[in-house]
């Protein structure tokens, strides 16, 4: 009985020691993902609520003229998968922390290259882009701080900040026409030598139709400056087809190209193959 009580007491202490009480966050985190044109935009931030407080004013929760983390908790983070323009300012693809300076007549929206979740680490830094936008008055209260991306077109969107009775929008412009035209030119021009080589290489290594593999690979090698690894693959396919003379010829060509490129591995592989296949010819 004594041993049972000891075990029970031990289990109770372990349970109390490991127990956790989860409570709701005062400023819950949020994530949004939005395509603008062909560019992905991701925003991660925390959402404080008014709770009867005055937000934007000279003596409010967010004082006019002071740098604000633009949310709560960690620094608000925005990520662009491509280069963008924000209100005419250029931002390369990547992640940025957003800090703002609100006033009654103007907001300065600062974008800093993201390197920390601590918003205070950006206070002394120079932003990668700083744009000025005009706040707009809303007819009703927005209880919880909100960031969204709206007014979407094929190449623009508006990064929106809403809280209390204030709406602020930052225009984001992405490159669409250039990318679409480049894709059109590429597709209409047909497969590249690399595309043909990839297809032929797969056909060969996967044990599919060797004649088809050779057809594809030779579309890559029958050019002015073929690559030594491409010609090497051609020689291997020819050897597997039993066309040894042609395989030796291709291996010698790959060997010469490998010597020019200074690739010792391919020099060795081609030399070994040439010796092996030449002995088969005797």
């Amino acid at each position: 009985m004594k041993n049972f009580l000891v075990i029970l007491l031990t289990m109770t202490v372990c349970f109390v020691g490991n127990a956790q009480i989860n409570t709701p966050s005062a400023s819950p985190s949020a994530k949004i993902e939005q395509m603008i044109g062909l560019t992905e935009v991701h925003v991660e931030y925390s959402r404080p609520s008014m709770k009867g407080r005055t937000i934007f004013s000279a003596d409010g929760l967010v004082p006019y003229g002071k740098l604000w983390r633009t949310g709560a908790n960690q620094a608000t983070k925005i990520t662009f998968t491509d280069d963008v323009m924000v209100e005419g300012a250029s931002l390369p693809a990547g992640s940025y922390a957003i800090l703002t300076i609100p006033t009654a007549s103007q907001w300065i929206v600062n974008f800093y290259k993201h390197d920390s979740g601590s918003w205070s680490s950006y206070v002394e830094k120079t932003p990668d882009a700083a744009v000025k936008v005009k706040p707009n008055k809303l007819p009703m209260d927005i209880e919880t701080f909100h960031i969204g991306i709206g007014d979407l077109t094929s190449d623009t969107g508006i990064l929106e900040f809403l809280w209390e009775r204030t709406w602020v929008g930052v225009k984001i412009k992405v490159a669409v026409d250039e990318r679409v035209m480049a894709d059109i030119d590429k597709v209409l021009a047909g497969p590249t030598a690399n595309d043909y080589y990839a297809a032929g290489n797969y056909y060969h290594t996967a044990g599919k139709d060797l004649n088809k593999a050779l057809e594809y690979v030779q579309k890559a090698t029958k050019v002015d400056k073929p690559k030594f690894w491409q010609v090497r693959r051609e020689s291997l396919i020819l050897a597997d087809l039993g066309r040894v003379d042609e395989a030796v010829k291709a291996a010698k060509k790959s060997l010469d190209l490998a010597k020019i490129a200074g690739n010792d591995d391919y020099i060795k592989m081609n030399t070994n193959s040439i010796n092996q296949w030449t002995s088969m010819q005797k």
Side-chain angles (χ1 to χ4, degrees):
M1 182 66 176
K2 183 179 180 181
N3 288 340
F4 174 76
L5 291 174
V6 171
I7 293 171
L8 181 62
L9 179 60
T10 302
M11 291 176 63
T12 302
V13 171
C14 289
F15 175 78
V16 172
N18 292 328
Q20 294 182 348
I21 299 176
N22 295 315
T23 59
S25 172
S27 301
S29 60
K31 294 181 181 181
I32 63 171
E33 297 181 3
Q34 179 63 59
M35 293 293 296
I36 303 179
L38 300 172
T39 299
E40 295 179 29
V41 183
H42 304 258
V43 181
E44 302 172 47
Y45 71 112
S46 294
R47 305 186 64 195
S49 294
M50 289 174 59
K51 299 178 181 178
R53 301 172 292 186
T54 299
I55 305 302
F56 301 113
S57 68
D59 57 354
L61 182 66
V62 180
Y64 283 154
K66 302 292 185 180
L67 196 64
W68 178 41
R69 71 183 76 182
T70 320
N73 303 325
Q74 290 194 321
T76 290
K77 180 181 179 181
I78 189 167
T79 301
F80 306 106
T81 57
D82 300 295
D83 298 350
V84 301
M85 302 288 288
V86 288
E87 292 291 336
S90 176
L91 277 181
S95 296
Y96 298 86
I98 300 176
L99 278 71
T100 52
I101 303 176
T103 71
S105 60
Q106 166 184 281
W107 278 39
I108 300 175
V109 182
N110 299 301
F111 296 84
Y112 303 81
K113 193 69 177 176
H114 191 278
D115 57 19
S116 170
S118 172
W119 73 273
S120 60
S121 68
Y122 300 98
V123 171
E124 301 299 327
K125 294 181 179 180
T126 300
D128 290 75
V131 300
K132 297 177 181 179
V133 290
K134 182 180 179 181
N136 292 269
K137 198 75 173 176
L138 296 172
M140 71 293 187
D141 282 334
I142 303 297
E143 171 65 23
T144 302
F145 178 59
H146 173 77
I147 297 178
I149 299 175
D151 291 355
L152 296 168
T153 71
S154 63
D155 63 352
T156 62
I158 302 295
L159 177 65
E160 303 173 314
F161 306 102
L162 297 91
W163 202 15
E164 200 178 41
R165 294 201 169 191
T166 298
W167 177 94
V168 173
V170 177
K171 185 176 181 179
I172 300 172
K173 183 174 176 56
V174 301
V176 171
D177 185 66
E178 298 91 333
R179 290 182 59 183
V180 173
M181 292 305 296
D183 285 347
I184 289 173
D185 291 341
K186 180 180 178 180
V187 171
L188 295 184
T192 65
N194 287 333
D195 295 329
Y196 280 119
Y197 173 76
N201 182 59
Y202 177 76
Y203 262 73
H204 184 217
T205 57
K208 294 183 178 294
D209 186 336
L210 288 178
N211 288 299
K212 199 70 175 176
L214 182 63
E215 176 188 342
Y216 285 143
V217 167
Q218 286 185 335
K219 286 181 181 294
T221 60
K222 302 305 182 187
V223 295
D224 290 337
K225 295 180 180 180
K227 307 300 183 183
F228 57 85
W229 65 85
Q230 295 173 338
V231 183
R232 167 72 180 168
R233 179 60 58 183
E234 179 183 5
S235 71
L236 294 174
I237 298 172
L238 286 165
D240 286 344
L241 284 168
R243 296 160 60 174
V244 179
D245 291 346
E246 295 172 83
V248 171
K249 183 178 179 181
K252 288 180 177 178
K253 182 176 181 179
S254 177
L255 175 61
D256 291 340
L257 292 170
K259 287 179 178 178
I260 294 172
N263 191 294
D264 292 336
D265 290 336
Y266 275 80
I267 291 172
K268 183 178 180 180
M269 287 188 292
N270 281 308
T271 300
N272 290 340
S273 294
I274 292 168
N275 292 335
Q276 177 188 348
W277 296 334
T278 301
S279 67
M280 295 169 58
Q281 295 173 310
K282 296 178 180 178

